[in-house]
Amino acid sequence: MAGPPRGLALLFLVVSCAALAAASRPSRENLDVSIGGGGGGGVGIGIGIGGSSPAPAPSGLRPCDFENERLYRAYLVIQQFRQTVSCDPMGITPSWSGTDLCSSYKGFFCERPPNVTDRTIASVDFNGYMLRSDSLQGFINSLPDLALFHANSNDFGGAVPALSGLQYFYELDLSNNRLAPAPFPTDVLGLTNATFIDIRFNSFYGELPAGVFCRFPRIQAIFVNNNQFSGALPDNIGQSPVNYLSLANNRFTGEIPRSIARNAGTLLEVLFLNNSLSGCLPYELGLLEKATVIDAGTNMLTGTIPASFACLRKVEQLNLANNHLYGVVPDALCKLAFGRLKNLTLSGNYFTALGSCCWDLIKEGRLNVDRNCIQWAPNQRSHEECAKFLHQPKSCPISDYVPCFHKFRFFGQPAGAGALEEKNAAAAAAEEEYRYRTYSALHP
Ligand SMILES: *[C@@H]1O[C@H](CO)[C@@H](O)[C@H](O)[C@H]1NC(C)=O
Ligand SMILES: *[C@@H]1O[C@H](CO)[C@@H](O)[C@H](O)[C@H]1NC(C)=O
Ligand SMILES: *[C@@H]1O[C@H](CO)[C@@H](O)[C@H](O)[C@H]1NC(C)=O
Ligand SMILES: *[C@@H]1O[C@H](CO)[C@@H](O)[C@H](O)[C@H]1NC(C)=O
């Protein structure tokens, strides 16, 4: 997270958009969340338009010149949008001419709707094209059969168009654009079939509406990082079946909602990183038994690490750095390193002691406890700094309860034990490629 890459990119665009090289950036492909059923057949496309007959095309092309009337109508919409593109450093728009939308128009992809013989525009993928237009109104919302719109790293301004009329729409990626500063676009909440909502690296502000966590029953990924969202996180966060949730680099305040425990069946990665969250580190985070990434670093969380964290048997990356945590780092937490845990970052807190297994992890470079108050550990805070913090009154409860203990009673230890089970799980994990998708989302 070095500096403000987006700001720089915009500056370059202002100076000369044509000078921009085709920098490859993480895009929707890199963040693919493998939609169940995979591609093709899942994309529903259907009838959208009835009434008004389209105006004649400026080029003189007529409906009968096209494969079908849907494509003719899409042609008109694309030509109109093309006129609004004021910057096209990669030379994309010249391909948007003629009657062959399905094979020669860069960024447009056709599919055949179920029960319909006609092909039509089903997805638009402009990832990394760096096109500039002041508005998307009248474009994506006027392609009635659209299921996907990916526009990572373009220079699109204005408001998010009203898309909820698009009955087949399910993936929206407007990340790293120049959309007008605005509250969360409420129309997006109407996309009830959405599986992917990505508006990171824009200028959205205000509170995240509760609808984000209850209006999308099929949602897999929600990326709202690197905006200016503020206020408390909605209490109903646990209502969402989301797998990948990134809230990082905003200005959220208040506590991590305890309802997060209800995400235990689905949440795989969650980033609270770099907000202003406060209150006690909740016991409920330890219930996220499927999570591979939990990052609550750089907030103002306090309290001790709840014993429930020993139940995070799938966690690989756990970051609690730069908070106001204190007490003993539980031995059972460090024992997770016998399983999946690869990186435990606790630096910049006020911990005073470590469980015995933790010392080995430091040697292996898997545990960072710099800038704490731990005797004998290197790079600790000064005595004055530690004394000042440790004398402040503490109100967080000490949570000793290990909720998964009964599940593993035959193996003794809640974590680290169960070698056979762990071996099988490791084999399964090898097949599945973990790429820490939420961490990829922290780059524009
Ligand atoms: C598509 O056709 C099938 C079988 O003919 C039918 O059951 C279904 O309702 C149709 N779907 C739509 C959206 O028309
Ligand atoms: C969501 O999908 C269902 C069935 O696939 C469809 O009936 C419904 O209209 C869609 N919802 C929206 C808001 O498009
Ligand atoms: C942390 O968040 C603040 C506020 O949103 C932002 O200005 C800052 O750039 C972020 N820091 C990093 C390292 O991304
Ligand atoms: C461990 O995680 C921290 C915090 O997310 C990160 O800064 C660091 O680079 C990671 N270390 C390794 C070796 O992956």
Side-chain angles (χ1 to χ4, degrees):
M1 284 167 295
R6 177 171 178 275
L8 272 182
L10 283 185
L11 182 68
F12 282 18
L13 281 166
V14 169
V15 173
S16 161
C17 65
L20 270 178
S24 84
R25 292 156 183 269
S27 62
R28 178 64 181 86
E29 278 86 68
N30 302 351
L31 301 171
D32 204 335
V33 289
S34 64
I35 309 303
V43 184
I45 302 159
I47 312 133
I49 26 177
S52 60
S53 61
S59 63
L61 291 172
R62 289 164 309 158
C64 60
D65 297 322
F66 290 80
E67 192 176 308
N68 60 59
E69 181 158 344
R70 285 164 198 269
L71 285 172
Y72 172 64
R73 288 173 185 270
Y75 165 81
L76 296 178
V77 170
I78 295 167
Q79 296 312 315
Q80 199 165 47
F81 176 66
R82 187 181 165 178
Q83 313 239 314
T84 73
V85 176
S86 58
C87 197
D88 177 11
M90 297 172 72
I92 302 297
T93 55
S95 72
W96 299 350
S97 66
T99 57
D100 195 4
L101 280 72
C102 296
S103 15
S104 65
Y105 281 45
K106 283 183 188 158
F108 292 91
F109 301 89
C110 296
E111 267 188 79
R112 222 175 289 280
N115 294 6
V116 173
T117 48
D118 292 347
R119 288 196 299 174
T120 182
I121 301 292
S123 54
V124 173
D125 185 350
F126 291 167
N127 278 352
Y129 281 2
M130 295 187 249
L131 298 172
R132 179 193 293 171
S133 170
D134 288 336
S135 172
L136 292 167
Q137 305 292 344
F139 175 46
I140 44 175
N141 54 319
S142 300
L143 295 170
D145 304 317
L146 199 64
L148 285 82
F149 181 58
H150 294 170
N152 171 268
S153 296
N154 282 273
D155 193 10
F156 294 139
V160 178
L163 300 173
S164 53
L166 307 183
Q167 58 181 322
Y168 300 109
F169 200 83
Y170 68 88
E171 280 195 20
L172 179 65
D173 180 353
L174 291 170
S175 55
N176 196 29
N177 275 283
R178 188 179 40 89
L179 298 169
F184 186 92
T186 44
D187 186 72
V188 166
L189 298 176
L191 298 173
T192 47
N193 293 324
T195 61
F196 186 88
I197 301 286
D198 183 351
I199 57 168
R200 69 205 155 90
F201 289 97
N202 278 290
S203 305
F204 293 103
Y205 62 83
E207 293 190 11
L208 210 52
V212 169
F213 299 106
C214 61
R215 300 286 285 277
F216 307 128
R218 301 174 192 181
I219 197 76
Q220 297 175 340
I222 300 173
F223 295 153
V224 301
N225 55 275
N226 296 83
N227 279 286
Q228 272 131 46
F229 287 115
S230 60
L233 294 171
D235 276 341
N236 69 338
I237 197 166
Q239 256 180 299
S240 175
V242 67
N243 307 123
Y244 301 94
L245 174 62
S246 176
L247 304 165
N249 300 328
N250 281 289
R251 294 168 188 166
F252 291 115
T253 54
E255 302 192 357
I256 294 177
R258 288 171 179 265
S259 80
I260 191 106
R262 288 178 55 195
N263 294 107
T266 53
L267 197 58
L268 304 179
E269 300 186 11
V270 59
L271 303 188
F272 296 107
L273 175 65
N274 189 27
N275 281 283
S276 299
L277 298 169
S278 57
C280 308
L281 186 63
Y283 155 88
E284 285 78 1
L285 273 185
L287 303 178
L288 299 176
E289 59 183 18
K290 296 201 169 158
T292 56
V293 176
I294 298 177
D295 193 327
T298 314
N299 280 285
M300 297 183 297
L301 298 165
T302 189
T304 56
I305 297 181
S308 62
F309 275 51
C311 299
L312 295 170
R313 287 162 48 88
K314 294 273 170 71
V315 81
E316 298 175 21
Q317 304 280 333
L318 177 58
N319 179 20
L320 300 174
N322 303 318
N323 279 289
H324 304 312
L325 302 170
Y326 53 88
V328 181
V329 178
D331 200 40
L333 177 65
C334 290
K335 281 183 172 155
L336 288 173
F338 295 144
R340 300 277 183 81
L341 185 62
K342 293 184 186 137
N343 182 350
L344 175 58
T345 309
L346 302 175
S347 51
N349 283 287
Y350 296 89
F351 291 110
T352 46
L354 298 176
S356 55
C357 287
C358 302
W359 292 98
D360 295 334
L361 293 190
I362 295 176
K363 280 183 219 138
E364 292 165 19
R366 292 202 278 169
L367 167 60
N368 184 340
V369 291
D370 287 353
R371 286 176 292 108
N372 278 279
C373 302
I374 303 164
Q375 216 181 357
W376 311 121
N379 310 320
Q380 297 301 290
R381 294 181 190 274
S382 69
H383 286 294
E384 294 73 36
E385 216 181 338
C386 290
K388 192 174 161 210
F389 176 84
L390 296 170
H391 282 109
Q392 288 164 13
K394 308 281 182 293
S395 56
C396 291
I398 306 271
S399 170
D400 283 331
Y401 178 57
V402 183
C404 56
F405 193 73
H406 62 284
K407 286 191 197 166
F408 310 116
R409 63 187 183 279
F410 299 117
F411 298 111
Q413 286 290 343
L420 182 63
E421 194 188 328
E422 210 49 72
K423 231 179 219 170
N424 293 339
E431 282 169 34
E432 195 175 349
E433 191 196 351
Y434 284 118
R435 284 171 297 181
Y436 304 131
R437 288 162 185 135
T438 50
Y439 279 139
S440 310
L442 295 181
H443 306 285

